[in-house]
Amino acid sequence: MNNSSSKAKRASGYLTFTLHAHLPYVVNHGTWPHGMEWLHEAAAETYLPLLRVLGNLERDGIRFQCNLNLSPILLEQLSHPVFIAEFPKYLTRKVVAAREDEAFFLQSGEAHLADTARFWHRFFSQALEDFRALDSNIIAGFRHFNDIGLIDIITCGATHGYMPLLGTDESVRAQIRTAVQTHVRHLGKHPRGIWAPECGYRPAGFWNYPVGMADGSPAPSGFDRIGVEQALSESDIEFFFVDTHLVEKGHRVPSPYELSNGQVPTDELTVAMTHNGHRSLYQPYYVDGPYDKRYATSVFPRDPRTGIQVWSGDTGYPGDGVYLDFHKKRWPGGHRYWRVTGTKVNMGDKLPYYPQEAAERVKSHASHFVHLVYEALKSGFDDAIPPILCAPFDAELFGHWWFEGPLWLEAIARTLHDYDTGIEMISCGEYLDMYPRAGFFALPEGSWGAGGHNEVWMNPDTSWTYTHIYAAELFTREVTTAGLWSESALGSRIAKQLCRELLLLESSDWQFLITTGAARDYAEARFTTHNDQFNEVKAIWKSFEDNDTITDEEEKRLSAIERRDNVFPDIDPSFWAAGAYQQHTSSVSDETPKPPSGVAAEPELIQSKPVA
């Protein structure tokens, strides 16, 4: 039954997709096989196809309402003059390569492969046409759909720093505050939610440095840390996401009295309903911690059942034999002409790809996924508060890794629109505006990485990186706290580049690529480059500190580093000063709870003064 007749009814359950779009900073740091080619591939195969899907759904009046994270460092790259200049050249090369492949296949009598070459010609020609229609501004395309409510664009750590392992509270806060600042500059509004990098979370408590410093000196003494939830709350971030096991291993805590105004259930029947086992992973919670709970931030757990079905190349949809094989390419153009065929099939035995057959398979996989969501939620369909299934994925899975992924997302939206399943797509912010949280929840430390904890980012192959990161964080805090940087344009300029290099050094991508071996040499080289540049800027700062000026050679070197890593133009070094944080202020008394989202204006935010 078409569900247009049932729109007046409250949905029985909700599905919320969260797509995490992120790439480490690659502009001015290599092209192929690692570097700008990553950004070009993601833009052509994921970002532009997602915009086409959103355009189709807007045209047909179909809900999608997903949470889309555009990481701050991705925003900086998509708006970078180098990307804007180079991306059309990349697309043109792909179009030319498709024409050359077509001629080769026709000459060799391989008519079907020639047809597939024409498919690639159309695909990349369409991408070039779309990019020009956007006036070379992919961000503006997403901003349109954000403004009309078809998606809710959320943020991430500024450079995807893994927050559980960052060595100072100021560094955690600065990743978030720089992210919010960048988000507002590009998208015109404050983000409601965040993708905590790697879904990493650490509660408040005593913390010890896991490694010493790079110069061989011992680690500083341990100290009490704020929890990730407090840093998010201070920047008025309403929600984030964690992996399944953090909720399974966490525990409920009593809700504060001042929240008894409907933000959490208070009647016995509804409270009991939120404790039912079938709901544990299908409802948001306030995160407990020693922070101002009038501004408590919320968490959505990841659903495990649907997750593996989508991302697994072995047992999930992307491994289906009719879909485009990711690995086998024809050189020199790099186009792909073969299908998966089978997960254990050798490269030489891959069969030809048929785009239309793959497009048809997407529809049955969309129906299957909707059935999985229905089965996961149906136990709660009659609950007073409808359950919500949270399905978070890397955005680049859709289109880049799984070529048919964007078509599959569109098919999900159309299936839920065309059939009365009782399930509706919704953004997390919209859900929080409509329904209370299930109560307060204390979470353990963890991530969505292999092993569920910190081992992907802190292990024998990567621990050396943190010996440099921790030293850089402490030096940056020392410089920004002292305040000399703010007394002159030159001092401010040096301090800003110091903070930029620290942010780029903190990117969790370097440890991930080292651990997985996906691009280990590149990641190690990139980390070393930013560490070297940080130390160069550090030396320039010391020269400025001693002489109130810098030499001509130091000026030339600083300019070169600025040109190479010219991100976050409005970066604020005061974010890194000791004790600096974003502080809520309003006219309400301490006893007055924060109004539910969407009911009243956000409290004014002011920046606290750094504490020396």
Side-chain angles (χ1 to χ4, degrees), residues 427-444:
S427 69
C428 289
E430 187 179 358
Y431 185 89
L432 294 180
D433 286 342
M434 296 168 62
Y435 302 105
R437 284 64 160 180
F440 271 75
F441 211 86
L443 298 168

Side-chain angles (χ1 to χ4, degrees), residues 55-71:
N56 293 341
L57 297 177
E58 179 192 19
R59 178 197 64 210
D60 296 339
I62 295 174
R63 288 180 66 86
F64 190 56
Q65 273 65 24
C66 85
N67 317 285
L68 173 64
N69 165 233
L70 299 177
S71 77

Side-chain angles (χ1 to χ4, degrees), residues 263-276:
Q263 296 171 67
V264 295
T266 53
D267 66 280
E268 290 185 12
L269 284 177
T270 307
V271 170
M273 176 269 296
T274 68
H275 282 72
N276 286 335

